[in-house]
């Protein structure tokens, strides 16, 4: 480090690591955590606190990262996230990191070393260096995300799998290298591999393959004694955990889940608008005239997220709490949908009568109960029946539950 660097780091430390900065950090040990309303400084500090805890593990004493070095790295990483993206921004990365931290604590892997864990538990395979690699992967897993999903022309052009995820991994490693942290991630190539393979596991087009692999893993741990190589079981546990964390918004308390859903839909419809302008075909879920928030969440939970969480909970039983919360959220979305259907019926009946105008105003108010202003995005909140007619043979209108086109 040059004198100039040391001076700069000291300045950063004064801003971020002062005793008052610690006072306002959000509760990173709470499932009710959300990064909403936090400043960039608070987000950076939250990330710092997670890594600081992990680096206190005696097994990681050899990772000699100074506080200033850690801060510099996090600040740089935060800056490569595009904060104009409604969803794929640094706050999402912090949310995923905190989720992993929380789950690792529930699993008993953190904050202590796993020497207190029963050897029979699958999570006892996770060593502190795996945990460190996993958390690095979490905070970098969407680095430089352009706000456009994997069905974009870029992916088609490369005709390749995991284009975005490769970009995230590459961006992260450039920064780890710049800050001299890459060689600290692990004493061998296998830890670097773990970071990359965990990021690649977040490619949702591989979702069903992972769910099948996790199902087989549960079977191995619960019913048979035949295990894969320890390293393979360990890597699969890491993939399962980061995948859960990446879509954990649907397992958070409902008030945060709705906010994430609205932000994601905003990003999707911005993409849809762009595709329309470019004369490209638009998926219904990206089309502001077709997307229904409630349906998108009901379908995503039912057909994508719940399956993952339940299978992961069959391996790592302590994760059950998240699957339970997700089921509660599903019921909330379903009842919201019923209310809307009811409102729609009321609206249809009354709009044929002479009092149309008054009732329109009233239902309009009822429908705008959302915490986030989506009005100018014009997201319709209609029931799915209308949107996806039964026996629809037109592929373009078939329901798509996720940007990754897993069906
Ligand atoms: P990532 O883009 O890396 O965050 O991968 C997760 C993907 O899962 C997102 O891009 C979405 O396609 C999908 N996803 C996550 N949360 C939701 C949600 N609440 N509703 C619908 N799709 C979701
Ligand atoms: Mg991603
Ligand atoms: Zn993500």
């Amino acid at each position: 480090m040059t004198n100039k660097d040391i001076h700069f780091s000291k300045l950063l430390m004064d801003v971020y690591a002062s005793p008052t900065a610690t006072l306002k950090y959000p509760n990173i040990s709470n499932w009710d955590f959300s990064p909403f309303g936090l400043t960039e400084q608070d987000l950076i500090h939250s990330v710092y606190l997670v890594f600081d805890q992990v680096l206190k593990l005696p097994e990681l004493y050899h990772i000699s990262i100074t506080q200033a070095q850690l801060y510099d790295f996090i600040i740089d990483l935060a800056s490569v996230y595009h904060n104009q993206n409604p969803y794929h921004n640094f706050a999402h990365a912090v949310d995923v990191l905190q989720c992993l931290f929380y789950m690792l604590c529930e699993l008993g892997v953190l904050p202590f070393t796993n020497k207190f864990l029963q050897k029979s538990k699958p999570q006892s395979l996770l060593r502190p260096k795996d945990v460190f690699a996993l958390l690095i992967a979490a905070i970098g897993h969407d680095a430089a995300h352009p706000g456009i999903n994997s069905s974009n022309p870029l992916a088609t052009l490369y005709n390749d799998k995991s284009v975005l995820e490769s970009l995230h991994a590459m961006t992260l490693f450039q920064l780890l290298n710049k800050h001299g942290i890459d060689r600290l991630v692990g004493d061998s190539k296998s830890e670097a591999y773990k970071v990359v393979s965990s990021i690649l596991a977040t490619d949702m087009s591989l979702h069903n393959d992972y769910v099948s692999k996790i199902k087989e893993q549960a079977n191995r741990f619960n019913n048979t004694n035949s295990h894969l190589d320890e390293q393979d079981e360990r890597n699969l546990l890491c993939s399962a955990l980061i995948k859960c964390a990446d879509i954990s918004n649907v397992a958070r308390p409902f008030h945060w889940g709705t906010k994430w859903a609205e932000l994601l839909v905003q990003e999707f419809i911005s993409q849809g608008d762009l595709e329309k302008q470019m004369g490209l075909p638009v998926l219904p879920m990206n089309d502001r005239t077709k997307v229904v928030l409630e349906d998108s969440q009901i379908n995503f939970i039912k057909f994508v997220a719940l399956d993952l969480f339940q299978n992961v909970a069959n391996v790592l039983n302590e994760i059950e709490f998240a699957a339970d919360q997700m089921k509660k959220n599903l019921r909330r979305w379903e009842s919201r949908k019923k209310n809307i259907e009811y409102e729609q019926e009321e609206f249809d009946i009354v709009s044929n009568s002479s009092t149309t105008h008054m009732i329109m105003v009233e239902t309009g108010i009822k429908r705008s109960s959302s915490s986030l202003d989506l009005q100018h995005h014009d997201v319709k909140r209609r029931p799915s029946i209308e949107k996806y007619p039964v026996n629809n043979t037109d592929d373009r209108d078939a329901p798509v539950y996720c940007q990754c086109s897993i069906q």
Side-chain angles (χ1 to χ4, degrees), residues 88 92 142 204 246-247 249-250 264 268 297 300 402-403:
H88 287 104
H92 164 62
D142 272 335
M204 291 296 282
D246 199 19
I247 58 172
N249 65 83
V250 282
L264 191 60
F268 287 174
Q297 296 312 289
F300 186 71
C402 167
Q403 292 281 4

Side-chain angles (χ1 to χ4, degrees), residues 27 34 153 181 328 338 378:
N27 192 353
S34 106
I181 303 176
K328 276 190 211 152
K338 276 205 190 88
D378 191 27

Side-chain angles (χ1 to χ4, degrees), residues 141-142 145 165 168 202:
H141 87 282
D142 272 335
H145 198 296
E165 291 70 22
H168 308 320
T202 62

